Amino acid sequence: MSSVVSRRQRLHELLLALVAREDELPLLEADRPDLEGGSAPGLWLDQNRRTLQRYQALVRTAVTLDALLDAEDNPRDFTAG
């Protein structure tokens, strides 16, 4: 298995593990509010924005953990000289 595929698999597994630890993850609200009715489109947008930011934070965390694992597997010599 190539290193790119194995790294992608590890990243995928890290992300799934982080998602599994979450108590509740909301889904994006697909139904747009009716602009003619009493729904507030700003609230709908804000809720979806916060949901997206939560998922982005999980992905960033998985990428960071993957990089840390990679650094442990391939330590580099950073001594002067």
Side-chain angles (χ1 to χ4, degrees):
M1 187 182 306
S2 75
S3 64
V4 173
V5 173
S6 63
R7 187 164 187 189
R8 182 173 288 194
Q9 179 66 32
R10 181 174 68 185
L11 183 58
H12 179 75
E13 290 171 3
L14 284 167
L15 184 57
L16 287 178
L18 289 169
V19 167
R21 290 182 51 94
E22 292 291 309
D23 290 333
E24 183 179 320
L25 274 175
L27 298 176
L28 291 175
E29 190 66 41
D31 297 328
R32 293 182 299 201
D34 180 16
L35 297 177
E36 301 288 324
S39 299
L43 293 176
W44 174 78
L45 285 172
D46 191 49
Q47 178 182 349
N48 279 348
R49 180 187 55 79
R50 283 180 296 189
T51 299
L52 183 60
Q53 287 175 337
R54 194 166 174 187
Y55 279 97
Q56 288 172 330
L58 288 172
V59 170
R60 282 192 303 271
T61 301
V63 169
T64 301
L65 290 172
D66 180 64
L68 289 171
L69 288 171
D70 193 42
E72 284 186 7
D73 289 344
N74 303 309
R76 293 178 177 87
D77 185 13
F78 289 111
T79 58

